[in-house]
Amino acid sequence: MALYKITMKKYLPLVFTLLLFVAAGLALFSINQQQASDQPETWSAFVYANGYASGAYKKTDDFNDYPSCKAFAEQQAHELGDVVWECGLSCWFDSSRQGFQCETMQNN
């Protein structure tokens, strides 16, 4: 019995460290699963009436693809006097930056 206690004391730090790494790995896996989106990718049109720097823009959401977003944005930009426009993929509002962030932005 005494030999068993000595052996367990020897491996206890190793077992604790291993359990700690397993718990950290499970936490990271769980966080990544929660961040994965089940929603389809959508495009948003941004039309800047006073240029990029003004912060004044008209945003329209839920385009299924880039060509439909581009057609809408070009039409809106033309109606406002050929102003600047962009289409963004999977956009969200970032409160720390007080504006919208997108995975990618295009205007070509």
Side-chain angles (χ1 to χ4, degrees):
M1 187 70 156
L3 182 59
Y4 176 74
K5 286 184 180 179
I6 293 172
T7 306
M8 282 303 293
K9 285 183 180 179
K10 185 177 179 181
Y11 292 111
L12 192 58
L14 179 63
V15 170
F16 178 74
T17 304
L18 183 63
L19 288 174
L20 196 60
F21 277 113
V22 168
L26 288 173
L28 288 173
F29 179 77
S30 174
I31 290 169
N32 284 338
Q33 290 298 97
Q34 290 173 359
Q35 299 254 343
S37 176
D38 293 336
Q39 298 176 350
E41 293 183 334
T42 61
W43 289 86
S44 299
F46 294 85
V47 180
Y48 302 92
N50 300 317
Y52 286 118
S54 71
Y57 55 84
K58 178 181 178 185
K59 178 178 174 280
T60 307
D61 296 315
D62 299 328
F63 295 98
N64 293 329
D65 53 24
Y66 177 72
S68 60
C69 179
K70 177 182 176 182
F72 176 82
E74 286 178 332
Q75 182 256 337
Q76 290 291 309
H78 181 70
E79 288 178 8
L80 294 172
D82 294 320
V83 297
V84 184
W85 63 271
E86 285 183 302
C87 285
L89 176 62
S90 299
C91 301
W92 70 95
F93 186 78
D94 186 348
S95 59
S96 65
R97 295 183 180 182
Q98 293 297 307
F100 285 93
Q101 300 296 312
C102 303
E103 287 182 15
T104 185
M105 295 292 276
Q106 292 183 12
N107 68 341
N108 49 18

